[in-house]
């Protein structure tokens, strides 16, 4: 119930393409769904987050889509750039509880 | 503002030796988390503290691991004795109750146990 399942494990996208990473959860008490971005040799950093009262949140080229009934959420990166090449983690938690992370997706955007 | 500060950045040690990893959270943050990252298991939560008190240590793999937070600005994660399977990157992260829920991570301590 505490797991967050993330797919795919790795992804290669052409520059300018759309990158899509999916996550699914079981615990209906989760009410905070962030995505973290991690570059090699660095710690993860918050990219964008959503709460279940909205179905979509957009920040620049990054969009979270949230489907409460299906208990799924996804990250879309529009116009993917080589600088977006990183590992992306989805996560979930209930209010002020510990974050549970997905297993990560290694994204490579080819020039 | 300084972020979460971890030391050492890299540690190479031999099996059986004691390892101590250190973390200074962001000033004013009241939660501190220790994570371990490996290729096989991803990001695993080991333990977290609230106001210097350990809240959940269910992720600590075994008694060889211990963590302390003697004050609001310092925490340690100790492994004694270390084993090759402890080789990983250990991250410290902090957050503030009054914030958005965002976790701020340090740059990690890469541990290699030979």
């Amino acid at each position: 119930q505490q797991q967050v399942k993330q797919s795919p494990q790795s992804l290669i996208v052409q520059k300018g393409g759309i990158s899509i990473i999916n996550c699914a959860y079981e615990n209906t008490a989760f009410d905070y769904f962030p995505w973290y971005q991690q570059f090699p040799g660095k710690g993860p950093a918050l990219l964008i987050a959503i709460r279940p009262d909205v179905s979509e949140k957009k920040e620049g080229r990054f969009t979270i889509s949230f489907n409460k009934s299906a208990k799924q959420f996804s990250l879309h990166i529009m116009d993917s750039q080589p600088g977006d090449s990183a590992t992306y983690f989805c996560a979930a938690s209930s209010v002020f509880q510990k974050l549970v992370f997905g297993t990560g997706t290694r994204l490579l955007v080819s020039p | 503002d300084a972020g979460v500060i971890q030391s050492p950045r890299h540690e190479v040690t031999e099996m059986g030796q004691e390892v101590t990893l250190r973390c200074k959270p962001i000033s004013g943050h009241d939660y501190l988390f220790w994570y371990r990252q490996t290729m096989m298991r991803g990001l695993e939560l080991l333990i977290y503290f609230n106001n210097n008190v350990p809240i959940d240590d269910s992720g600590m793999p075994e008694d060889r691991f211990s963590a302390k937070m003697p004050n609001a600005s310092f925490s340690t994660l100790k492994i004694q004795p270390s084993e090759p399977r402890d080789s990983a990157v250990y991250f410290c992260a902090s957050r503030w109750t009054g914030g958005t829920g965002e976790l701020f991570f340090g740059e990690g301590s890469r541990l290699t146990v030979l």
Side-chain angles (χ1 to χ4, degrees), chain A residues 10-110:
Chain A
S10 62
L11 183 60
I12 300 175
V13 173
Q14 296 275 350
K15 179 182 174 182
I18 303 174
S19 305
I20 302 174
I21 306 171
N22 300 299
C23 283
Y25 64 98
E26 289 294 325
N27 189 343
T28 54
F30 287 154
D31 63 353
Y32 175 63
F33 303 90
W35 285 88
Y36 280 76
Q37 181 187 53
Q38 184 182 28
F39 293 105
K42 301 292 186 182
L46 179 68
L47 183 63
I48 186 173
I50 197 169
R51 295 199 183 268
D53 52 342
V54 296
S55 61
E56 186 175 282
K57 182 174 182 180
K58 185 175 181 179
E59 290 184 1
R61 296 184 295 108
F62 300 90
T63 300
I64 299 180
S65 297
F66 182 78
N67 186 329
K68 189 173 181 178
S69 60
K71 291 185 283 187
Q72 294 176 347
F73 58 111
S74 59
L75 175 69
H76 291 65
I77 306 174
M78 311 300 288
D79 187 26
S80 299
Q81 299 296 312
D84 297 331
S85 297
T87 300
Y88 293 81
F89 293 92
C90 62
S93 74
S94 51
V95 177
F96 295 119
Q97 296 303 306
K98 58 188 179 184
L99 266 180
V100 178
F101 282 89
T103 48
T105 296
R106 297 184 73 175
L107 171 66
L108 176 64
V109 181
S110 58

Side-chain angles (χ1 to χ4, degrees), chain B residues 11-76:
Chain B
E11 175 91 6
V12 180
T13 191
E14 294 194 345
M15 183 173 65
Q17 296 298 304
E18 178 179 292
V19 174
T20 299
L21 307 178
R22 298 172 176 80
C23 175
K24 177 179 169 56
I26 292 174
S27 177
H29 283 193
D30 53 350
Y31 280 86
L32 184 139
F33 301 78
W34 282 101
Y35 284 88
R36 177 171 69 176
Q37 185 175 33
T38 61
M39 289 295 292
M40 290 295 294
R41 302 174 71 92
L43 270 170
E44 299 175 274
L45 177 64
L46 301 178
I47 184 171
Y48 76 96
F49 297 82
N50 179 220
N51 291 322
N52 314 336
V53 176
I55 302 300
D56 184 348
D57 65 354
S58 61
M60 296 286 261
E62 31 191 295
D63 291 346
R64 298 184 297 105
F65 285 69
S66 62
K68 293 182 180 179
M69 192 165 186
N71 58 63
S73 59
F74 184 67
S75 177
T76 59

